Amino acid sequence: RPPMLPPDALPAPRRRLTFPISRLLFSAVVLGTLLTAALGPAARGALALAPGPVLVDVQLWRILTHATFVSGPGELVLVIALVFHLRIVEQMLGSSRFATLVVVSTCVSALG
C-alpha cells in the first residue's frame, strides 16, 4: 500500500481561466466592426456618438455602441491586442470589477 499523504501535501487543482469580460469585449469589437463594414456608411451614422440624439432623444445605448466599432483594419489589430492584454487586468481585478471599469471608462471617454 502506498503511504497516505496529508491533505495539505496534495497539489491544488488548477483553475481554468476564462476571462468572460475580455472575451465579450473581443467579440463585440470584432462583430461590430464586421457589421459596420458590411452595412456601409449608413451603419456608422446610426451607431455614431452624437450629442443631439444622446441628450435630446435619450438614446443612451449610443454611449456603449460607439466603442464597439473601429474604422479600419489597423485599428482593429490594435484593439484586439489591447483586449488580449487586458486579460491580465481582468485576472487581477476579477470579472465584476473589470466590467465596472470597462463601463465607467467607456462612459467617461464618451463625454470627452
Side-chain angles (χ1 to χ4, degrees):
R1 277 179 32 176
M4 294 295 290
L5 294 173
D8 58 344
L10 298 175
R14 294 196 64 161
R15 202 175 99 200
R16 185 169 175 242
L17 301 174
T18 57
F19 309 110
I21 306 302
S22 297
R23 195 175 289 183
L24 178 70
L25 284 174
F26 175 80
S27 300
V29 169
V30 170
L31 292 175
T33 301
L34 291 175
L35 181 66
T36 55
L39 295 177
R44 287 186 191 271
L47 295 175
L49 183 66
V54 172
L55 297 175
V56 176
D57 299 334
V58 192
Q59 296 178 356
L60 298 177
W61 55 269
R62 288 179 182 255
I63 293 174
L64 295 177
T65 58
H66 89 280
T68 60
F69 64 92
V70 294
S71 62
E75 286 184 25
L76 183 61
V77 169
L78 289 175
V79 169
I80 288 172
L82 177 69
V83 170
F84 180 77
H85 289 291
L86 281 176
R87 294 177 312 142
I88 298 168
V89 177
E90 183 176 358
Q91 182 181 4
M92 289 179 356
L93 294 178
S95 294
S96 60
R97 287 184 184 168
F98 183 69
T100 303
L101 174 70
V102 168
V103 170
V104 168
S105 63
T106 301
C107 292
V108 168
S109 71
L111 294 175

